[in-house]
Amino acid sequence: MPKIDVYDGRADKCPLPLVKTKVLLKQLTCDGQLVVHLKDAGSLRDIPAWLATQCVRVEQITRQDNSVTLTITKE
């Protein structure tokens, strides 16, 4: 069963969510998942753009109220 890590960055402002997401993805094992909760407008733009350049798969994007949740799998 893959490990699932969760980062709640809704209270953090850019660039902190991007930095923390990079660190957590680096620590994640293959087939592990990272769930990232975001609210900051800069992070909502920057993190998906950065993820597109990485060997990861964004499994799900959920929008609720003023936040977005990304479910990311490391390949």
Side-chain angles (χ1 to χ4, degrees), residues 17-73:
L18 177 60
V19 171
K20 286 188 175 183
T21 299
K22 285 181 178 183
V23 169
L24 289 168
L25 277 177
K26 188 174 184 178
Q27 297 171 352
L28 201 62
T29 60
C30 288
D31 294 330
Q33 283 193 332
L34 175 61
V35 177
V36 180
H37 302 282
L38 301 169
K39 199 170 189 178
D40 176 67
S43 299
L44 292 172
R45 179 188 62 245
D46 295 345
I47 290 177
W50 177 76
L51 289 172
T53 68
Q54 303 303 302
C55 293
V56 298
R57 189 170 56 241
V58 179
E59 301 286 345
Q60 185 176 7
I61 300 173
T62 306
R63 297 178 190 278
Q64 185 174 4
D65 299 324
N66 293 329
S67 67
V68 172
T69 300
L70 304 171
T71 303
I72 307 157
T73 301

